Amino acid sequence: GAGVSQSPSNKVTEKGKDVELRCDPISGHTALYWYRQSLGQGLEFLIYFQGNSAPDKSGLPSDRFSAERTGGSVSTLTIQRTQQEDSAVYLCASSKGGSYNEQFFGPGTRLTVL
Amino acid sequence: AQSVTQLDSQVPVFEEAPVELRCNYSSSVSVYLFWYVQYPNQGLQLLLKYLSGSTLVKGINGFEAEFNKSQTSFHLRKPSVHISDTAEYFCAVSDRTGGGNKLTFGTGTQLKVEL
């Protein structure tokens, strides 16, 4: 079946603009995660959705970052007033939920803020 | 809170030689342990995981890892590497007590296999 998909694959934006990154998880997966991969910080957890529970936002670096998950499926990560330090690869993953289940990762969106 | 340390940022090795990629972790709670691989220009893929039971776990592509609780380590090994194993390898942990399965990653080890 289809894996996790993300769009766009690449996004170049100007400092101060807002961007939206999209994630389509594997069908039937109840858990969805966003991570950020950057040269300076490695792989960092951003936010986690599990079913209808309130999301775990503990990894979001600032209030310019937000995410939503509509209908328990597609998720959008929004970054407002982008800064150069936001440049990174944003990875989405999904799983069946639970701490032991494998997370399946998408190919990522490479964000470049000029 | 958890942290993961991968001391070796790069490991060069000749084809058919054995390799060990080191991973140590720190956590105030019990954790599950994972190794992920990222091939050039591709997404992360699970190699293997330790949940419970036997401390030696086997994964895909001939890799294995051993959980050592006393040393808080989860080193990855392969007895004979191939050119196609060239990739970046990430060790990760998640909170066993129900912290939502968010993964805490190490900084990664770049394995470069040479002829």
Side-chain angles (χ1 to χ4, degrees), chain A residues 33 35 37 43 45 48 56 58 91 95 97-103 105-107, chain B residues 32 34 36 38 43-44 46 49 51 90 94-95 98-103 105:
Chain A
Y33 310 79
Y35 295 87
Q37 185 174 24
L43 270 159
F45 163 79
Y48 158 64
D56 177 351
S58 60
L91 297 171
S95 79
S99 296
Y100 46 86
N101 278 314
E102 177 182 356
Q103 294 184 28
F105 284 79
Chain B
Y32 296 118
F34 306 83
Y36 280 84
Q38 188 173 33
L44 286 161
L46 181 69
K49 61 183 177 183
L51 303 181
F90 294 92
S94 69
D95 182 352
N101 197 22
K102 54 191 177 188
L103 292 169
F105 287 91

PDB file of all heavy atoms in Angstrom, chain A residues 33 35 37 43 45 48 56 58 91 95 97-103 105-107, chain B residues 32 34 36 38 43-44 46 49 51 90 94-95 98-103 105:
ATOM      1  N   TYR A  33       3.093  12.128  13.544  1.00  0.00           N
ATOM      2  CA  TYR A  33       4.175  12.885  14.176  1.00  0.00           C
ATOM      3  C   TYR A  33       4.814  13.826  13.151  1.00  0.00           C
ATOM      4  O   TYR A  33       4.918  13.498  11.975  1.00  0.00           O
ATOM      5  CB  TYR A  33       5.279  11.952  14.678  1.00  0.00           C
ATOM      6  CG  TYR A  33       4.805  10.800  15.505  1.00  0.00           C
ATOM      7  CD1 TYR A  33       4.251   9.674  14.911  1.00  0.00           C
ATOM      8  CD2 TYR A  33       4.908  10.834  16.889  1.00  0.00           C
ATOM      9  CE1 TYR A  33       3.811   8.610  15.661  1.00  0.00           C
ATOM     10  CE2 TYR A  33       4.474   9.777  17.658  1.00  0.00           C
ATOM     11  CZ  TYR A  33       3.921   8.661  17.035  1.00  0.00           C
ATOM     12  OH  TYR A  33       3.484   7.617  17.793  1.00  0.00           O
ATOM     13  N   TYR A  35       8.554  15.832  12.760  1.00  0.00           N
ATOM     14  CA  TYR A  35       9.918  16.018  13.227  1.00  0.00           C
ATOM     15  C   TYR A  35      10.610  17.015  12.301  1.00  0.00           C
ATOM     16  O   TYR A  35      10.177  17.255  11.187  1.00  0.00           O
ATOM     17  CB  TYR A  35      10.706  14.695  13.184  1.00  0.00           C
ATOM     18  CG  TYR A  35      10.215  13.614  14.106  1.00  0.00           C
ATOM     19  CD1 TYR A  35       9.212  12.725  13.704  1.00  0.00           C
ATOM     20  CD2 TYR A  35      10.745  13.461  15.381  1.00  0.00           C
ATOM     21  CE1 TYR A  35       8.766  11.719  14.536  1.00  0.00           C
ATOM     22  CE2 TYR A  35      10.304  12.455  16.229  1.00  0.00           C
ATOM     23  CZ  TYR A  35       9.320  11.595  15.798  1.00  0.00           C
ATOM     24  OH  TYR A  35       8.874  10.596  16.634  1.00  0.00           O
ATOM     25  N   GLN A  37      14.540  17.976  10.800  1.00  0.00           N
ATOM     26  CA  GLN A  37      15.923  17.525  10.665  1.00  0.00           C
ATOM     27  C   GLN A  37      16.753  18.680  10.130  1.00  0.00           C
ATOM     28  O   GLN A  37      16.566  19.128   8.994  1.00  0.00           O
ATOM     29  CB  GLN A  37      16.013  16.321   9.724  1.00  0.00           C
ATOM     30  CG  GLN A  37      17.399  15.715   9.630  1.00  0.00           C
ATOM     31  CD  GLN A  37      17.417  14.431   8.806  1.00  0.00           C
ATOM     32  OE1 GLN A  37      16.560  14.188   7.959  1.00  0.00           O
ATOM     33  NE2 GLN A  37      18.389  13.576   9.054  1.00  0.00           N
ATOM     34  N   LEU A  43      17.760  15.512  14.479  1.00  0.00           N
ATOM     35  CA  LEU A  43      16.337  15.169  14.346  1.00  0.00           C
ATOM     36  C   LEU A  43      15.609  15.531  15.634  1.00  0.00           C
ATOM     37  O   LEU A  43      15.891  14.988  16.691  1.00  0.00           O
ATOM     38  CB  LEU A  43      16.175  13.674  14.098  1.00  0.00           C
ATOM     39  CG  LEU A  43      16.171  13.204  12.654  1.00  0.00           C
ATOM     40  CD1 LEU A  43      16.521  11.739  12.564  1.00  0.00           C
ATOM     41  CD2 LEU A  43      14.811  13.467  12.031  1.00  0.00           C
ATOM     42  N   PHE A  45      11.805  16.155  17.617  1.00  0.00           N
ATOM     43  CA  PHE A  45      10.365  15.984  17.679  1.00  0.00           C
ATOM     44  C   PHE A  45       9.685  17.349  17.738  1.00  0.00           C
ATOM     45  O   PHE A  45      10.150  18.249  18.443  1.00  0.00           O
ATOM     46  CB  PHE A  45      10.006  15.167  18.912  1.00  0.00           C
ATOM     47  CG  PHE A  45       8.557  15.243  19.317  1.00  0.00           C
ATOM     48  CD1 PHE A  45       7.604  14.502  18.647  1.00  0.00           C
ATOM     49  CD2 PHE A  45       8.158  16.067  20.353  1.00  0.00           C
ATOM     50  CE1 PHE A  45       6.270  14.575  19.010  1.00  0.00           C
ATOM     51  CE2 PHE A  45       6.829  16.145  20.732  1.00  0.00           C
ATOM     52  CZ  PHE A  45       5.883  15.399  20.055  1.00  0.00           C
ATOM     53  N   TYR A  48       2.787  15.704  18.092  1.00  0.00           N
ATOM     54  CA  TYR A  48       2.267  14.342  17.978  1.00  0.00           C
ATOM     55  C   TYR A  48       0.750  14.367  18.133  1.00  0.00           C
ATOM     56  O   TYR A  48       0.228  15.007  19.051  1.00  0.00           O
ATOM     57  CB  TYR A  48       2.916  13.502  19.077  1.00  0.00           C
ATOM     58  CG  TYR A  48       2.195  12.241  19.508  1.00  0.00           C
ATOM     59  CD1 TYR A  48       2.006  11.181  18.630  1.00  0.00           C
ATOM     60  CD2 TYR A  48       1.750  12.112  20.816  1.00  0.00           C
ATOM     61  CE1 TYR A  48       1.379  10.022  19.053  1.00  0.00           C
ATOM     62  CE2 TYR A  48       1.122  10.953  21.245  1.00  0.00           C
ATOM     63  CZ  TYR A  48       0.944   9.913  20.361  1.00  0.00           C
ATOM     64  OH  TYR A  48       0.321   8.756  20.783  1.00  0.00           O
ATOM     65  N   ASP A  56       0.194  16.526  21.470  1.00  0.00           N
ATOM     66  CA  ASP A  56       1.367  16.824  22.290  1.00  0.00           C
ATOM     67  C   ASP A  56       2.223  17.831  21.516  1.00  0.00           C
ATOM     68  O   ASP A  56       2.878  17.464  20.557  1.00  0.00           O
ATOM     69  CB  ASP A  56       2.137  15.536  22.566  1.00  0.00           C
ATOM     70  CG  ASP A  56       3.425  15.768  23.362  1.00  0.00           C
ATOM     71  OD1 ASP A  56       3.822  16.933  23.559  1.00  0.00           O
ATOM     72  OD2 ASP A  56       4.034  14.761  23.770  1.00  0.00           O
ATOM     73  N   SER A  58       4.719  19.617  22.739  1.00  0.00           N
ATOM     74  CA  SER A  58       5.857  19.976  23.571  1.00  0.00           C
ATOM     75  C   SER A  58       7.140  20.256  22.791  1.00  0.00           C
ATOM     76  O   SER A  58       8.049  20.887  23.308  1.00  0.00           O
ATOM     77  CB  SER A  58       6.118  18.871  24.592  1.00  0.00           C
ATOM     78  OG  SER A  58       6.399  17.654  23.933  1.00  0.00           O
ATOM     79  N   LEU A  91       9.945  16.319   8.561  1.00  0.00           N
ATOM     80  CA  LEU A  91       9.553  14.921   8.356  1.00  0.00           C
ATOM     81  C   LEU A  91       8.243  14.627   9.065  1.00  0.00           C
ATOM     82  O   LEU A  91       8.033  15.042  10.203  1.00  0.00           O
ATOM     83  CB  LEU A  91      10.633  13.988   8.895  1.00  0.00           C
ATOM     84  CG  LEU A  91      12.011  14.066   8.229  1.00  0.00           C
ATOM     85  CD1 LEU A  91      13.011  13.243   9.016  1.00  0.00           C
ATOM     86  CD2 LEU A  91      11.929  13.569   6.799  1.00  0.00           C
ATOM     87  N   SER A  95       1.948   5.988  12.619  1.00  0.00           N
ATOM     88  CA  SER A  95       2.033   4.643  13.188  1.00  0.00           C
ATOM     89  C   SER A  95       0.655   4.209  13.658  1.00  0.00           C
ATOM     90  O   SER A  95      -0.302   4.997  13.665  1.00  0.00           O
ATOM     91  CB  SER A  95       3.028   4.598  14.344  1.00  0.00           C
ATOM     92  OG  SER A  95       2.453   5.118  15.535  1.00  0.00           O
ATOM     93  N   GLY A  97      -0.012   3.707  16.588  1.00  0.00           N
ATOM     94  CA  GLY A  97      -0.158   4.169  17.947  1.00  0.00           C
ATOM     95  C   GLY A  97       0.570   3.252  18.917  1.00  0.00           C
ATOM     96  O   GLY A  97       0.956   2.149  18.572  1.00  0.00           O
ATOM     97  N   GLY A  98       0.795   3.720  20.125  1.00  0.00           N
ATOM     98  CA  GLY A  98       1.536   2.927  21.107  1.00  0.00           C
ATOM     99  C   GLY A  98       3.018   3.188  21.011  1.00  0.00           C
ATOM    100  O   GLY A  98       3.544   3.489  19.937  1.00  0.00           O
ATOM    101  N   SER A  99       3.695   3.075  22.134  1.00  0.00           N
ATOM    102  CA  SER A  99       5.119   3.418  22.185  1.00  0.00           C
ATOM    103  C   SER A  99       5.987   2.417  21.452  1.00  0.00           C
ATOM    104  O   SER A  99       7.141   2.702  21.166  1.00  0.00           O
ATOM    105  CB  SER A  99       5.584   3.489  23.639  1.00  0.00           C
ATOM    106  OG  SER A  99       4.929   4.516  24.332  1.00  0.00           O
ATOM    107  N   TYR A 100       5.466   1.241  21.158  1.00  0.00           N
ATOM    108  CA  TYR A 100       6.297   0.186  20.612  1.00  0.00           C
ATOM    109  C   TYR A 100       6.143   0.007  19.101  1.00  0.00           C
ATOM    110  O   TYR A 100       6.892  -0.718  18.481  1.00  0.00           O
ATOM    111  CB  TYR A 100       5.948  -1.135  21.300  1.00  0.00           C
ATOM    112  CG  TYR A 100       4.455  -1.357  21.382  1.00  0.00           C
ATOM    113  CD1 TYR A 100       3.767  -1.944  20.322  1.00  0.00           C
ATOM    114  CD2 TYR A 100       3.737  -0.960  22.488  1.00  0.00           C
ATOM    115  CE1 TYR A 100       2.407  -2.129  20.381  1.00  0.00           C
ATOM    116  CE2 TYR A 100       2.362  -1.129  22.552  1.00  0.00           C
ATOM    117  CZ  TYR A 100       1.701  -1.713  21.495  1.00  0.00           C
ATOM    118  OH  TYR A 100       0.346  -1.876  21.550  1.00  0.00           O
ATOM    119  N   ASN A 101       5.145   0.649  18.529  1.00  0.00           N
ATOM    120  CA  ASN A 101       4.892   0.442  17.108  1.00  0.00           C
ATOM    121  C   ASN A 101       5.825   1.270  16.244  1.00  0.00           C
ATOM    122  O   ASN A 101       6.143   2.414  16.559  1.00  0.00           O
ATOM    123  CB  ASN A 101       3.441   0.764  16.759  1.00  0.00           C
ATOM    124  CG  ASN A 101       2.503  -0.387  17.062  1.00  0.00           C
ATOM    125  OD1 ASN A 101       2.792  -1.532  16.724  1.00  0.00           O
ATOM    126  ND2 ASN A 101       1.390  -0.095  17.693  1.00  0.00           N
ATOM    127  N   GLU A 102       6.183   0.694  15.126  1.00  0.00           N
ATOM    128  CA  GLU A 102       7.084   1.356  14.194  1.00  0.00           C
ATOM    129  C   GLU A 102       6.457   2.613  13.624  1.00  0.00           C
ATOM    130  O   GLU A 102       5.281   2.633  13.257  1.00  0.00           O
ATOM    131  CB  GLU A 102       7.426   0.409  13.047  1.00  0.00           C
ATOM    132  CG  GLU A 102       8.307   1.026  11.963  1.00  0.00           C
ATOM    133  CD  GLU A 102       8.583   0.074  10.827  1.00  0.00           C
ATOM    134  OE1 GLU A 102       8.152  -1.100  10.904  1.00  0.00           O
ATOM    135  OE2 GLU A 102       9.219   0.498   9.849  1.00  0.00           O
ATOM    136  N   GLN A 103       7.252   3.660  13.563  1.00  0.00           N
ATOM    137  CA  GLN A 103       6.830   4.865  12.886  1.00  0.00           C
ATOM    138  C   GLN A 103       7.338   4.789  11.446  1.00  0.00           C
ATOM    139  O   GLN A 103       8.512   4.516  11.214  1.00  0.00           O
ATOM    140  CB  GLN A 103       7.386   6.105  13.586  1.00  0.00           C
ATOM    141  CG  GLN A 103       6.809   6.306  14.978  1.00  0.00           C
ATOM    142  CD  GLN A 103       7.282   7.575  15.650  1.00  0.00           C
ATOM    143  OE1 GLN A 103       7.606   8.562  15.001  1.00  0.00           O
ATOM    144  NE2 GLN A 103       7.314   7.538  16.975  1.00  0.00           N
ATOM    145  N   PHE A 105       8.085   6.814   8.105  1.00  0.00           N
ATOM    146  CA  PHE A 105       8.406   8.198   7.774  1.00  0.00           C
ATOM    147  C   PHE A 105       8.145   8.514   6.302  1.00  0.00           C
ATOM    148  O   PHE A 105       8.364   7.678   5.421  1.00  0.00           O
ATOM    149  CB  PHE A 105       9.877   8.489   8.085  1.00  0.00           C
ATOM    150  CG  PHE A 105      10.156   8.674   9.541  1.00  0.00           C
ATOM    151  CD1 PHE A 105      10.284   7.588  10.391  1.00  0.00           C
ATOM    152  CD2 PHE A 105      10.275   9.952  10.083  1.00  0.00           C
ATOM    153  CE1 PHE A 105      10.523   7.750  11.741  1.00  0.00           C
ATOM    154  CE2 PHE A 105      10.512  10.126  11.438  1.00  0.00           C
ATOM    155  CZ  PHE A 105      10.642   9.028  12.260  1.00  0.00           C
ATOM    156  N   GLY A 106       7.726   9.739   6.067  1.00  0.00           N
ATOM    157  CA  GLY A 106       7.619  10.246   4.717  1.00  0.00           C
ATOM    158  C   GLY A 106       8.967  10.751   4.224  1.00  0.00           C
ATOM    159  O   GLY A 106       9.940  10.770   4.979  1.00  0.00           O
ATOM    160  N   PRO A 107       9.034  11.167   2.963  1.00  0.00           N
ATOM    161  CA  PRO A 107      10.303  11.603   2.371  1.00  0.00           C
ATOM    162  C   PRO A 107      10.742  12.989   2.838  1.00  0.00           C
ATOM    163  O   PRO A 107      11.891  13.374   2.611  1.00  0.00           O
ATOM    164  CB  PRO A 107      10.005  11.610   0.872  1.00  0.00           C
ATOM    165  CG  PRO A 107       8.536  11.837   0.800  1.00  0.00           C
ATOM    166  CD  PRO A 107       7.941  11.153   1.995  1.00  0.00           C
TER     167      PRO A 107
ATOM    168  N   TYR B  32      11.908   2.085  25.029  1.00  0.00           N
ATOM    169  CA  TYR B  32      12.076   1.199  23.888  1.00  0.00           C
ATOM    170  C   TYR B  32      13.220   1.782  23.063  1.00  0.00           C
ATOM    171  O   TYR B  32      13.431   3.001  23.051  1.00  0.00           O
ATOM    172  CB  TYR B  32      10.810   1.135  23.035  1.00  0.00           C
ATOM    173  CG  TYR B  32       9.610   0.548  23.740  1.00  0.00           C
ATOM    174  CD1 TYR B  32       8.458   1.307  23.954  1.00  0.00           C
ATOM    175  CD2 TYR B  32       9.611  -0.767  24.179  1.00  0.00           C
ATOM    176  CE1 TYR B  32       7.350   0.765  24.576  1.00  0.00           C
ATOM    177  CE2 TYR B  32       8.505  -1.324  24.809  1.00  0.00           C
ATOM    178  CZ  TYR B  32       7.382  -0.539  25.019  1.00  0.00           C
ATOM    179  OH  TYR B  32       6.282  -1.073  25.648  1.00  0.00           O
ATOM    180  N   PHE B  34      15.428   1.864  19.270  1.00  0.00           N
ATOM    181  CA  PHE B  34      15.278   1.703  17.830  1.00  0.00           C
ATOM    182  C   PHE B  34      16.572   2.109  17.111  1.00  0.00           C
ATOM    183  O   PHE B  34      17.304   2.973  17.580  1.00  0.00           O
ATOM    184  CB  PHE B  34      14.147   2.598  17.291  1.00  0.00           C
ATOM    185  CG  PHE B  34      12.821   2.421  17.977  1.00  0.00           C
ATOM    186  CD1 PHE B  34      12.546   3.067  19.173  1.00  0.00           C
ATOM    187  CD2 PHE B  34      11.829   1.640  17.412  1.00  0.00           C
ATOM    188  CE1 PHE B  34      11.322   2.922  19.810  1.00  0.00           C
ATOM    189  CE2 PHE B  34      10.589   1.492  18.031  1.00  0.00           C
ATOM    190  CZ  PHE B  34      10.341   2.130  19.230  1.00  0.00           C
ATOM    191  N   TYR B  36      17.253   3.434  13.148  1.00  0.00           N
ATOM    192  CA  TYR B  36      16.722   3.798  11.839  1.00  0.00           C
ATOM    193  C   TYR B  36      17.890   4.060  10.890  1.00  0.00           C
ATOM    194  O   TYR B  36      18.954   4.497  11.313  1.00  0.00           O
ATOM    195  CB  TYR B  36      15.858   5.062  11.922  1.00  0.00           C
ATOM    196  CG  TYR B  36      14.448   4.838  12.422  1.00  0.00           C
ATOM    197  CD1 TYR B  36      14.175   4.782  13.785  1.00  0.00           C
ATOM    198  CD2 TYR B  36      13.386   4.689  11.532  1.00  0.00           C
ATOM    199  CE1 TYR B  36      12.873   4.566  14.238  1.00  0.00           C
ATOM    200  CE2 TYR B  36      12.089   4.481  11.979  1.00  0.00           C
ATOM    201  CZ  TYR B  36      11.845   4.429  13.332  1.00  0.00           C
ATOM    202  OH  TYR B  36      10.566   4.221  13.778  1.00  0.00           O
ATOM    203  N   GLN B  38      18.918   5.991   7.106  1.00  0.00           N
ATOM    204  CA  GLN B  38      18.498   6.964   6.081  1.00  0.00           C
ATOM    205  C   GLN B  38      19.483   6.872   4.920  1.00  0.00           C
ATOM    206  O   GLN B  38      20.632   7.322   5.043  1.00  0.00           O
ATOM    207  CB  GLN B  38      18.462   8.371   6.666  1.00  0.00           C
ATOM    208  CG  GLN B  38      17.866   9.404   5.723  1.00  0.00           C
ATOM    209  CD  GLN B  38      17.690  10.764   6.399  1.00  0.00           C
ATOM    210  OE1 GLN B  38      18.477  11.159   7.259  1.00  0.00           O
ATOM    211  NE2 GLN B  38      16.642  11.469   6.041  1.00  0.00           N
ATOM    212  N   GLY B  43      13.847   8.660   2.829  1.00  0.00           N
ATOM    213  CA  GLY B  43      13.318   8.841   4.176  1.00  0.00           C
ATOM    214  C   GLY B  43      13.914   7.841   5.154  1.00  0.00           C
ATOM    215  O   GLY B  43      14.665   6.947   4.788  1.00  0.00           O
ATOM    216  N   LEU B  44      13.568   7.996   6.397  1.00  0.00           N
ATOM    217  CA  LEU B  44      14.031   7.096   7.453  1.00  0.00           C
ATOM    218  C   LEU B  44      13.306   5.760   7.366  1.00  0.00           C
ATOM    219  O   LEU B  44      12.100   5.699   7.136  1.00  0.00           O
ATOM    220  CB  LEU B  44      13.755   7.716   8.822  1.00  0.00           C
ATOM    221  CG  LEU B  44      14.650   8.872   9.235  1.00  0.00           C
ATOM    222  CD1 LEU B  44      13.996   9.681  10.341  1.00  0.00           C
ATOM    223  CD2 LEU B  44      15.993   8.366   9.686  1.00  0.00           C
ATOM    224  N   LEU B  46      13.037   1.859   9.435  1.00  0.00           N
ATOM    225  CA  LEU B  46      13.371   1.121  10.644  1.00  0.00           C
ATOM    226  C   LEU B  46      14.265  -0.069  10.311  1.00  0.00           C
ATOM    227  O   LEU B  46      13.946  -0.873   9.431  1.00  0.00           O
ATOM    228  CB  LEU B  46      12.099   0.630  11.335  1.00  0.00           C
ATOM    229  CG  LEU B  46      12.317  -0.135  12.640  1.00  0.00           C
ATOM    230  CD1 LEU B  46      12.827   0.801  13.724  1.00  0.00           C
ATOM    231  CD2 LEU B  46      11.014  -0.807  13.092  1.00  0.00           C
ATOM    232  N   LYS B  49      14.321  -2.978  16.369  1.00  0.00           N
ATOM    233  CA  LYS B  49      13.865  -2.375  17.608  1.00  0.00           C
ATOM    234  C   LYS B  49      13.974  -3.379  18.741  1.00  0.00           C
ATOM    235  O   LYS B  49      13.868  -4.598  18.531  1.00  0.00           O
ATOM    236  CB  LYS B  49      12.423  -1.878  17.478  1.00  0.00           C
ATOM    237  CG  LYS B  49      11.405  -2.968  17.167  1.00  0.00           C
ATOM    238  CD  LYS B  49      10.008  -2.367  16.980  1.00  0.00           C
ATOM    239  CE  LYS B  49       9.001  -3.446  16.590  1.00  0.00           C
ATOM    240  NZ  LYS B  49       7.644  -2.875  16.343  1.00  0.00           N
ATOM    241  N   LEU B  51      12.120  -4.203  22.256  1.00  0.00           N
ATOM    242  CA  LEU B  51      10.963  -3.934  23.100  1.00  0.00           C
ATOM    243  C   LEU B  51      11.101  -4.647  24.436  1.00  0.00           C
ATOM    244  O   LEU B  51      10.888  -4.058  25.508  1.00  0.00           O
ATOM    245  CB  LEU B  51       9.673  -4.376  22.400  1.00  0.00           C
ATOM    246  CG  LEU B  51       9.402  -3.756  21.029  1.00  0.00           C
ATOM    247  CD1 LEU B  51       8.081  -4.252  20.459  1.00  0.00           C
ATOM    248  CD2 LEU B  51       9.402  -2.237  21.105  1.00  0.00           C
ATOM    249  N   PHE B  90      20.614   6.223  12.647  1.00  0.00           N
ATOM    250  CA  PHE B  90      20.152   6.958  13.814  1.00  0.00           C
ATOM    251  C   PHE B  90      19.656   5.995  14.878  1.00  0.00           C
ATOM    252  O   PHE B  90      18.822   5.130  14.604  1.00  0.00           O
ATOM    253  CB  PHE B  90      19.005   7.900  13.449  1.00  0.00           C
ATOM    254  CG  PHE B  90      19.400   9.026  12.533  1.00  0.00           C
ATOM    255  CD1 PHE B  90      19.298   8.896  11.155  1.00  0.00           C
ATOM    256  CD2 PHE B  90      19.871  10.219  13.060  1.00  0.00           C
ATOM    257  CE1 PHE B  90      19.657   9.930  10.318  1.00  0.00           C
ATOM    258  CE2 PHE B  90      20.234  11.267  12.221  1.00  0.00           C
ATOM    259  CZ  PHE B  90      20.136  11.113  10.845  1.00  0.00           C
ATOM    260  N   SER B  94      12.110   5.702  22.821  1.00  0.00           N
ATOM    261  CA  SER B  94      10.800   6.260  23.153  1.00  0.00           C
ATOM    262  C   SER B  94      10.434   5.811  24.551  1.00  0.00           C
ATOM    263  O   SER B  94      10.897   4.775  25.035  1.00  0.00           O
ATOM    264  CB  SER B  94       9.729   5.840  22.149  1.00  0.00           C
ATOM    265  OG  SER B  94       9.445   4.460  22.262  1.00  0.00           O
ATOM    266  N   ASP B  95       9.599   6.588  25.189  1.00  0.00           N
ATOM    267  CA  ASP B  95       9.213   6.370  26.577  1.00  0.00           C
ATOM    268  C   ASP B  95       8.292   5.169  26.676  1.00  0.00           C
ATOM    269  O   ASP B  95       7.189   5.173  26.126  1.00  0.00           O
ATOM    270  CB  ASP B  95       8.521   7.638  27.079  1.00  0.00           C
ATOM    271  CG  ASP B  95       8.118   7.561  28.540  1.00  0.00           C
ATOM    272  OD1 ASP B  95       8.226   6.480  29.156  1.00  0.00           O
ATOM    273  OD2 ASP B  95       7.676   8.596  29.070  1.00  0.00           O
ATOM    274  N   GLY B  98       4.507   5.340  28.354  1.00  0.00           N
ATOM    275  CA  GLY B  98       3.329   5.931  27.719  1.00  0.00           C
ATOM    276  C   GLY B  98       3.471   7.398  27.401  1.00  0.00           C
ATOM    277  O   GLY B  98       2.500   8.135  27.388  1.00  0.00           O
ATOM    278  N   GLY B  99       4.671   7.834  27.132  1.00  0.00           N
ATOM    279  CA  GLY B  99       4.885   9.239  26.803  1.00  0.00           C
ATOM    280  C   GLY B  99       4.500   9.607  25.400  1.00  0.00           C
ATOM    281  O   GLY B  99       4.889  10.652  24.907  1.00  0.00           O
ATOM    282  N   GLY B 100       3.762   8.778  24.749  1.00  0.00           N
ATOM    283  CA  GLY B 100       3.227   9.135  23.438  1.00  0.00           C
ATOM    284  C   GLY B 100       4.052   8.658  22.279  1.00  0.00           C
ATOM    285  O   GLY B 100       3.754   8.962  21.144  1.00  0.00           O
ATOM    286  N   ASN B 101       5.102   7.916  22.532  1.00  0.00           N
ATOM    287  CA  ASN B 101       5.884   7.327  21.456  1.00  0.00           C
ATOM    288  C   ASN B 101       6.689   8.328  20.642  1.00  0.00           C
ATOM    289  O   ASN B 101       7.191   8.019  19.595  1.00  0.00           O
ATOM    290  CB  ASN B 101       4.980   6.522  20.506  1.00  0.00           C
ATOM    291  CG  ASN B 101       5.761   5.573  19.621  1.00  0.00           C
ATOM    292  OD1 ASN B 101       6.872   5.197  19.954  1.00  0.00           O
ATOM    293  ND2 ASN B 101       5.194   5.210  18.493  1.00  0.00           N
ATOM    294  N   LYS B 102       6.817   9.562  21.118  1.00  0.00           N
ATOM    295  CA  LYS B 102       7.684  10.460  20.381  1.00  0.00           C
ATOM    296  C   LYS B 102       9.112   9.956  20.533  1.00  0.00           C
ATOM    297  O   LYS B 102       9.537   9.538  21.600  1.00  0.00           O
ATOM    298  CB  LYS B 102       7.553  11.885  20.893  1.00  0.00           C
ATOM    299  CG  LYS B 102       7.781  12.045  22.376  1.00  0.00           C
ATOM    300  CD  LYS B 102       7.370  13.433  22.819  1.00  0.00           C
ATOM    301  CE  LYS B 102       7.520  13.593  24.321  1.00  0.00           C
ATOM    302  NZ  LYS B 102       6.970  14.857  24.821  1.00  0.00           N
ATOM    303  N   LEU B 103       9.826   9.982  19.427  1.00  0.00           N
ATOM    304  CA  LEU B 103      11.181   9.464  19.400  1.00  0.00           C
ATOM    305  C   LEU B 103      12.189  10.560  19.721  1.00  0.00           C
ATOM    306  O   LEU B 103      12.079  11.682  19.232  1.00  0.00           O
ATOM    307  CB  LEU B 103      11.490   8.887  18.016  1.00  0.00           C
ATOM    308  CG  LEU B 103      10.720   7.611  17.633  1.00  0.00           C
ATOM    309  CD1 LEU B 103      10.903   7.312  16.160  1.00  0.00           C
ATOM    310  CD2 LEU B 103      11.158   6.441  18.485  1.00  0.00           C
ATOM    311  N   PHE B 105      16.064  11.158  19.124  1.00  0.00           N
ATOM    312  CA  PHE B 105      17.112  10.630  18.256  1.00  0.00           C
ATOM    313  C   PHE B 105      18.500  11.060  18.703  1.00  0.00           C
ATOM    314  O   PHE B 105      18.690  12.127  19.290  1.00  0.00           O
ATOM    315  CB  PHE B 105      16.925  11.144  16.826  1.00  0.00           C
ATOM    316  CG  PHE B 105      15.773  10.519  16.091  1.00  0.00           C
ATOM    317  CD1 PHE B 105      14.518  11.089  16.124  1.00  0.00           C
ATOM    318  CD2 PHE B 105      15.959   9.366  15.337  1.00  0.00           C
ATOM    319  CE1 PHE B 105      13.453  10.527  15.437  1.00  0.00           C
ATOM    320  CE2 PHE B 105      14.907   8.791  14.640  1.00  0.00           C
ATOM    321  CZ  PHE B 105      13.654   9.368  14.692  1.00  0.00           C
TER     322      PHE B 105
END
